[in-house]
Amino acid sequence: MYLREVQLENFKSFGKKVRIPFLPGFTAITGPNGSGKSNISDAILFVLGPKSPKMIRAGRLTDLIYKGKKDVNYCKVSLVLEDENEEIVLTRKVKRAPLPDNPDNYYSYFYINNKAASLSDFVHILSSSNISANSIVQQGDVTAIVEMGDVPRRRILDDIA
Amino acid sequence: MYLREVQLENFKSFGKKVRIPFLPGFTAITGPNGSGKSNISDAILFVLGPKSPKMIRAGRLTDLIYKGKKDVNYCKVSLVLEDENEEIVLTRKVKRAPLPDNPDNYYSYFYINNKAASLSDFVHILSSSNISANSIVQQGDVTAIVEMGDVPRRRILDDIA
Amino acid sequence: KKDAFYTVYEAVKENFELIYTELLGGGEAELVLENKENPFEGGLIIKARPKGKRIMRLNALSGGEKSMASLAFIFAIQAYDPSPFYILDEVDMFLDGKNAEKVADMIKERSRNTQFIAISLRRVTLNKADHIYGVTMQEGISTIVGNVNLSQVEEIVEVK
Amino acid sequence: KKDAFYTVYEAVKENFELIYTELLGGGEAELVLENKENPFEGGLIIKARPKGKRIMRLNALSGGEKSMASLAFIFAIQAYDPSPFYILDEVDMFLDGKNAEKVADMIKERSRNTQFIAISLRRVTLNKADHIYGVTMQEGISTIVGNVNLSQVEEIVEVK
Ligand SMILES: Nc1ncnc2c1ncn2[C@@H]1O[C@H](COP(=O)(O)OP(=O)(O)OP(=O)(O)O)[C@@H](O)[C@H]1O
Ligand SMILES: Nc1ncnc2c1ncn2[C@@H]1O[C@H](COP(=O)(O)OP(=O)(O)OP(=O)(O)O)[C@@H](O)[C@H]1O
Ligand SMILES: [Mg+2]
Ligand SMILES: [Mg+2]
């Protein structure tokens, strides 16, 4: 299995619909500071780690929605996974649903091969192909392992066990 | 005024007596990982910041003594400051003085122009020429300013006031 | 629960000690439990001995030496619980040229049967990749600049 | 006590906003007190707007953008309370080529009347220095390799 394509729509600084095709092997992504490189890794984490504490740097999920245009009220990311000629498309979408007492309210939608699914279906597919937030090393994680204490470091192994 | 020379003796990985002459202007120090670059900055901090919380990464002051040879029981750093043809030499030395109940016990010595001085004489000279641990940005400080909370960041200004 | 932990710990420990020596081309490292009988009451200590030096705890190493030990730890966990692909975001930041090359070599070798996507500004890392993608931003919108070669990238960013 | 704090705050704030724009060649930044009446009850917030983008708090910026804002803050403090010399240890770590060059240029300019000693692995930074010193280690002992030129340094470390 490998990650064949990432599709971003209004996700952070990706204000246009963008499709990024990937190939097996070793792909490098480069570009100036602030151009949007880490936002690609955040987009993959957005789909792979719906319950993960490593979740997106933004804090509130609605901060993931592209802010450059006024009337944009949703963001969407699809991952296309290919496994021996079979294709699985995992999509996550967040849509603003402001309430009088909570302007940051939102709805979260999950899709498997473009059919609405529940969070638990989603998590099931991910764990059966052993894909998780552990597949992503975010910017700064390398130094975090050094700076964390011995006990939090042991907890990394607890989570795996 | 400028820093004209740093003399290291048994300080961390500097197991031999080493004199590093500096010139005014912009000097860069480079070298492979683990070669001893940050140890030079630690040596300057050792003299400039006797009471500073930024103090040396080692934890215990006796960890600053070169560990490669068995019988070495002290480390010493001198800074030569030049100010309009006048020279001031500031020296700090730490010597092991193990006690039955505390093997890491040590004595700290301060010298101004090679004459024994007290810590307060030392601090007085430093503050009158406005040299302090604030003159040093340690490896990782740049990220620390970002990661610290808003209140610790305000405290940086409190300290200066 | 304790048994499950021990299985993971023993496997990751073995991986870590092998991968550290392979990654650095020498030296040795070890994972140590603070409290072997009751692991949940203590922490996990990483010790490393870069080539030609004494063994030390992680916090006595230099910035670059710490990064290499952390990377070996990350690779050791990934080897125990392999995933079909990995995303690495600027893991080569603190490394000098030789160490960055060692890390890029390890990624390249493992990319034969696992997909690796590495975000990097380092020339030495981009040199080893099968494909390089550029990202740029205009008026606050990010776009991808497809398959670029190293000389094109020099324009986007003076590759480290 | 409050008055002394305000004097420092106002001066550093003014320095910071000027230096940020000078360092990045555009954009703007601001220092904001959480609680203006009682500064000791709140924190100090850094906001920055890189060129062509919206203003945001420090934690929404990218790794490199955060570093540049932090550096501007460090330089702003140093400008308020100037010292005869500064030691900077790998402050250019997260920066792409253009930003590393901007930082090296600022150091170079300020080094006319203040001594700067910068530890760096970046080619772009070493290029701007008046003198370059190499450090190497043999059998666990560090030594200084006096005044080297850039081509000699390429051997010690593939300069980033
Ligand atoms: N919701 C959003 N809408 C628009 N722009 C956003 C949004 N969230 C983040 N951004 C922008 O994305 C930029 C950060 O991108 P990112 O962190 O991916 O940079 P990077 O390429 O990884 O840079 P570096 O090399 O410095 O790490 C920030 O400048 C921020 O302005
Ligand atoms: N007391 C000591 N005796 C001997 N060696 C020591 C002592 N304290 C630290 N060291 C050694 O100094 C080395 C670290 O040096 P330093 O942190 O200066 O490296 P550096 O050149 O800054 O590297 P990097 O580029 O990775 O930051 C460590 O490998 C450690 O083994
Ligand atoms: Mg980034
Ligand atoms: Mg260092």
Side-chain angles (χ1 to χ4, degrees):
Chain A
M1 179 185 272
Y2 75 100
L3 176 63
R4 216 191 62 205
E5 192 174 287
V6 177
Q7 299 164 2
L8 303 141
E9 216 173 310
N10 294 330
F11 185 84
K12 296 186 88 173
S13 57
F14 289 88
K16 295 207 183 90
K17 239 184 181 168
V18 171
R19 302 164 70 107
I20 313 174
F22 285 113
L23 293 153
F26 179 10
T27 302
I29 299 178
T30 193
N33 288 144
S35 54
K37 303 184 295 292
S38 296
N39 290 343
I40 297 172
S41 141
D42 285 348
I44 297 170
L45 183 59
F46 175 62
V47 175
L48 293 190
K51 296 197 291 196
S52 153
K54 288 170 92 166
M55 209 34 197
I56 319 293
R57 301 173 279 168
R60 291 186 308 263
L61 279 186
T62 48
D63 284 352
L64 300 174
I65 301 169
Y66 173 63
K67 295 209 177 86
K69 260 189 269 155
K70 278 271 167 292
D71 51 351
V72 176
N73 66 352
Y74 76 96
C75 71
K76 194 166 109 180
V77 176
S78 297
L79 300 186
V80 179
L81 302 167
E82 183 160 320
D83 190 9
E84 289 159 29
N85 292 335
E86 218 197 302
E87 182 180 290
I88 310 173
V89 182
L90 299 173
T91 306
R92 186 174 179 198
K93 183 174 156 181
V94 160
K95 197 172 164 184
R96 276 186 216 286
L99 294 172
D101 60 337
N102 176 4
D104 285 320
N105 194 45
Y106 66 88
Y107 291 131
S108 225
Y109 305 91
F110 298 91
Y111 304 90
I112 298 172
N113 293 331
N114 298 321
K115 283 199 213 66
S118 69
L119 174 54
S120 57
D121 295 347
F122 219 67
V123 172
H124 177 66
I125 280 222
L126 291 177
S127 65
S128 63
S129 33
N130 207 11
I131 306 173
S132 76
N134 280 344
S135 316
I136 297 175
V137 179
Q138 289 180 293
Q139 197 168 354
D141 272 4
V142 170
T143 19
I145 286 183
V146 170
E147 259 112 57
M148 64 173 61
D150 297 333
V151 172
R153 195 181 295 136
R154 194 211 68 225
R155 291 224 184 83
I156 297 177
L157 296 192
D158 300 0
D159 291 348
I160 298 172
Chain B
M1 182 188 270
Y2 76 99
L3 176 65
R4 212 189 67 205
E5 192 173 285
V6 177
Q7 299 163 2
L8 302 143
E9 214 172 311
N10 295 329
F11 185 84
K12 294 186 91 173
S13 57
F14 289 89
K16 291 206 189 93
K17 240 180 162 168
V18 169
R19 302 163 66 103
I20 314 173
F22 285 113
L23 293 154
F26 179 9
T27 302
I29 298 178
T30 193
N33 289 144
S35 54
K37 302 184 296 296
S38 296
N39 290 344
I40 299 172
S41 142
D42 284 348
I44 298 170
L45 181 62
F46 175 63
V47 175
L48 293 191
K51 296 196 299 194
S52 155
K54 288 170 98 165
M55 210 36 198
I56 317 298
R57 299 173 277 169
R60 290 186 306 263
L61 279 187
T62 48
D63 284 352
L64 300 174
I65 300 169
Y66 172 64
K67 292 207 181 94
K69 260 189 272 160
K70 277 274 169 292
D71 52 355
V72 177
N73 66 354
Y74 76 98
C75 70
K76 196 166 109 178
V77 176
S78 295
L79 301 185
V80 180
L81 303 167
E82 185 162 316
D83 190 7
E84 288 157 26
N85 293 335
E86 216 196 302
E87 179 181 291
I88 309 173
V89 182
L90 298 174
T91 305
R92 185 175 178 196
K93 183 174 157 180
V94 160
K95 197 172 166 182
R96 276 186 215 285
L99 294 172
D101 60 341
N102 175 6
D104 285 320
N105 193 44
Y106 65 87
Y107 292 131
S108 226
Y109 303 93
F110 298 90
Y111 303 90
I112 299 173
N113 293 332
N114 298 321
K115 282 201 226 59
S118 68
L119 174 53
S120 57
D121 294 347
F122 219 68
V123 173
H124 175 67
I125 281 229
L126 291 177
S127 65
S128 63
S129 31
N130 208 11
I131 305 172
S132 76
N134 281 342
S135 315
I136 297 175
V137 179
Q138 289 181 293
Q139 196 168 354
D141 273 3
V142 170
T143 23
I145 285 182
V146 172
E147 257 108 62
M148 64 173 63
D150 296 333
V151 172
R153 199 181 294 134
R154 193 212 69 224
R155 288 220 187 88
I156 298 178
L157 296 191
D158 300 358
D159 292 347
I160 298 172
Chain C
K1 199 171 156 53
K2 233 192 245 167
D3 292 345
F5 177 84
Y6 277 127
T7 330
V8 173
Y9 167 68
E10 292 299 344
V12 172
K13 178 181 161 69
E14 198 184 315
N15 287 348
F16 173 67
E17 292 170 7
L18 280 170
I19 290 173
Y20 180 88
T21 310
E22 185 193 335
L23 185 63
L24 274 83
E28 61 187 340
E30 54 178 335
L31 279 189
V32 177
L33 281 171
E34 235 167 20
N35 185 335
K36 221 167 158 57
E37 278 64 42
N38 289 316
F40 300 112
E41 274 156 36
L44 180 70
I45 297 169
I46 295 181
K47 289 192 174 167
R49 190 179 66 65
K51 231 177 353 190
K53 297 191 183 176
R54 303 143 27 79
I55 195 139
M56 277 174 275
R57 285 180 67 137
L58 211 47
N59 57 2
L61 298 173
S62 80
E65 292 170 334
K66 284 177 185 161
S67 279
M68 293 297 271
S70 293
L71 276 168
F73 184 64
I74 289 173
F75 281 133
I77 292 176
Q78 293 179 341
Y80 173 72
D81 186 23
S83 156
F85 61 84
Y86 292 107
I87 321 280
L88 307 174
D89 193 347
E90 304 201 17
V91 296
D92 48 14
M93 254 323 166
F94 292 91
L95 305 181
D96 63 27
K98 280 207 188 69
N99 280 333
E101 191 144 19
K102 286 177 182 153
V103 170
D105 283 340
M106 187 172 260
I107 293 174
K108 178 89 177 148
E109 200 199 305
R110 291 167 171 234
S111 70
R112 282 206 216 110
N113 15 336
T114 314
Q115 183 186 27
F116 274 88
I117 298 170
I119 296 171
S120 173
L121 296 174
R122 301 294 298 270
R123 177 197 309 271
V124 62
T125 308
L126 299 177
N127 258 336
K128 306 260 177 205
D130 305 325
H131 321 281
I132 304 176
Y133 288 15
V135 181
T136 59
M137 189 182 262
Q138 266 116 27
E139 284 135 35
I141 294 186
S142 296
T143 52
I144 304 286
V145 185
N147 231 339
V148 296
N149 60 33
L150 202 53
S151 60
Q152 277 169 281
V153 165
E154 305 273 0
E155 278 147 36
I156 294 179
V157 54
E158 176 263 5
V159 172
K160 282 193 173 183
Chain D
K1 198 163 150 54
K2 238 197 252 175
D3 292 344
F5 177 84
Y6 276 128
T7 334
V8 172
Y9 167 68
E10 294 298 345
V12 172
K13 178 181 162 70
E14 197 182 316
N15 288 348
F16 174 67
E17 292 169 7
L18 280 170
I19 290 174
Y20 180 86
T21 309
E22 184 194 338
L23 185 62
L24 275 85
E28 61 187 277
E30 54 179 341
L31 278 189
V32 177
L33 279 171
E34 234 166 18
N35 184 337
K36 225 179 153 57
E37 279 64 48
N38 288 319
F40 300 111
E41 276 159 35
L44 179 69
I45 298 169
I46 294 181
K47 289 190 173 170
R49 191 180 65 66
K51 236 175 3 189
K53 297 190 179 179
R54 308 143 28 80
I55 194 144
M56 44 188 87
R57 283 180 70 136
L58 212 50
N59 58 2
L61 298 174
S62 81
E65 292 171 331
K66 283 177 187 163
S67 280
M68 293 298 271
S70 290
L71 276 167
F73 184 64
I74 289 172
F75 282 133
I77 292 174
Q78 291 178 343
Y80 173 72
D81 186 21
S83 157
F85 60 84
Y86 292 108
I87 321 282
L88 307 175
D89 193 347
E90 303 202 22
V91 294
D92 49 12
M93 253 323 166
F94 293 93
L95 305 182
D96 62 28
K98 281 210 189 74
N99 281 333
E101 193 148 9
K102 285 178 183 154
V103 170
D105 283 339
M106 186 171 262
I107 294 173
K108 179 88 177 151
E109 201 199 303
R110 286 165 179 238
S111 71
R112 281 205 223 110
N113 22 354
T114 312
Q115 183 185 29
F116 275 88
I117 297 170
I119 296 171
S120 173
L121 295 174
R122 302 294 299 269
R123 179 198 309 270
V124 63
T125 307
L126 299 177
N127 258 337
K128 305 262 177 203
D130 305 325
H131 321 284
I132 305 176
Y133 289 3
V135 182
T136 60
M137 187 181 264
Q138 266 113 27
E139 283 132 37
I141 294 187
S142 297
T143 51
I144 302 284
V145 180
N147 231 335
V148 296
N149 58 38
L150 202 55
S151 60
Q152 280 169 278
V153 164
E154 305 275 358
E155 278 148 39
I156 296 181
V157 56
E158 174 263 4
V159 172
K160 281 194 175 184

